[in-house]
């Protein structure tokens, strides 16, 4: 597949995500979680964009808070797991991600995985464009007050980009990698609408 076709597929997928965003607000298909209990890694072993130990450390700090936040209505809250990871890699400062550095970090993580390079490159561009298009919502999320005791408010930019990357990478999983079982197909449909972070 040539570069232009690949970019077209990524943009088409992003438009699908944005269009679905409108429906998700009306009736949240993500509220009850995935329709199958299959682990996404069994369907598509998506490579890590950020070192696993950093993600695990951040998940241990903010995992419980994030689970509670996903059940809240209204303006989407910032994902502190994502902000923690971007802070740990020096990619985040004052509500901004260093786009060029983030792109380089993501591409460096794929250096031994050539089948993922085009997917990750296209997804990175698409996800930063998505963040740009959601600028007002992201800023509103950064100004929220805590809604439960001990809630830390994090800027949404890191979560928007990392969730988008996860969704796009899973959705565009190379055919050489994706497990075509029935459960995995259902999970891919769910993953095209809902963050699985």
């Amino acid at each position: 597949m040539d570069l232009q076709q690949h970019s077209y597929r990524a943009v088409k997928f992003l438009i699908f995500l944005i269009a679905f965003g409108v429906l998700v607000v009306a009736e949240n298909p993500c509220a009850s979680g995935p329709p199958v209990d299959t682990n996404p890694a069994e369907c598509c072993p998506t490579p890590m964009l950020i070192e696993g130990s950093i993600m695990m450390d951040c998940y241990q700090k903010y995992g419980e808070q994030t689970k509670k936040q996903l059940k809240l209505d209204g303006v989407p809250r910032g994902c502190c797991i994502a902000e923690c990871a971007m802070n740990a890699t020096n990619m985040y400062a004052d509500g901004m991600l260093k786009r060029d550095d983030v792109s380089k970090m993501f591409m460096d993580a794929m250096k031994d995985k050539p089948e993922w390079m085009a997917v990750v490159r296209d997804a990175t561009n698409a996800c930063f464009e998505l963040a740009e298009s959601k600028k007002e919502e992201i800023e509103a999320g950064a100004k929220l007050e805590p809604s439960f005791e001990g809630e830390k408010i994090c800027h949404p930019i890191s979560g928007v980009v990392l969730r988008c990357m996860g969704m796009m990478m899973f959705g565009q999983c190379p055919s050489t990698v994706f497990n075509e079982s029935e459960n995995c197909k259902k999970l891919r449909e769910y993953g095209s609408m809902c963050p699985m972070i």
Side-chain angles (χ1 to χ4, degrees):
M1 182 179 295
D2 70 19
L3 184 61
Q4 195 172 8
Q5 275 184 306
H6 212 75
S7 295
Y8 172 74
R9 270 184 50 204
V11 169
K12 209 166 104 180
F13 188 68
L14 182 65
I15 290 166
F16 171 77
L17 290 180
I18 293 167
F20 242 111
V22 178
L23 299 177
V24 168
V25 174
E27 52 176 88
N28 187 351
C30 308
S32 55
V36 291
D37 63 359
T38 306
N39 183 330
E42 291 173 36
C43 301
C44 179
T46 311
M48 296 290 284
L49 294 169
I50 297 171
E51 192 181 310
S53 61
I54 291 173
M55 290 306 292
M56 188 50 69
D57 181 50
C58 293
Y59 184 81
Q60 285 171 345
K61 285 181 189 165
Y62 299 109
E64 288 308 310
Q65 169 176 297
T66 301
K67 285 176 194 167
K68 285 184 192 174
Q69 288 173 325
L70 288 172
K71 293 176 182 162
L72 298 173
D73 291 325
V75 175
R77 307 180 98 67
C79 175
C80 290
I81 297 171
E83 183 174 295
C84 167
M86 289 300 194
N87 268 328
T89 53
N90 296 314
M91 296 292 158
Y92 170 82
D94 305 320
M96 298 289 289
L97 287 177
K98 301 171 187 169
R99 181 174 178 162
D100 291 344
D101 293 348
V102 169
S103 297
K104 184 180 181 326
M105 177 176 74
F106 289 172
M107 290 310 289
D108 285 350
M110 298 305 115
K111 66 177 182 273
D112 298 328
K113 298 167 183 68
E115 70 277 17
W116 282 99
M117 288 191 122
V119 172
V120 169
R121 184 195 56 240
D122 293 346
T124 304
N125 290 330
C127 291
F128 272 97
E129 284 170 30
L130 175 70
E132 187 60 35
S133 75
K134 289 181 159 232
K135 205 173 193 169
E136 286 178 24
E137 184 182 289
I138 288 171
E139 288 308 317
K143 294 174 184 152
L144 291 171
E145 295 293 321
S147 62
F148 53 84
E149 192 179 333
E151 181 186 17
K152 180 180 192 284
I153 300 296
C154 289
H155 196 286
I157 185 69
S158 301
V160 167
V161 170
L162 284 182
R163 278 192 184 119
C164 173
M165 289 298 296
M167 288 166 76
M168 287 198 74
M169 286 172 71
F170 189 79
Q172 301 286 314
C173 187
S175 57
T176 53
V177 178
F178 191 74
N179 172 354
E180 291 286 344
S181 73
E182 212 44 53
N183 277 3
C184 287
K185 287 177 188 170
K186 284 180 186 168
L187 200 58
R188 181 153 58 183
E189 276 174 38
Y190 174 85
S192 70
M193 300 178 283
C194 310
M196 294 192 283
I197 197 170

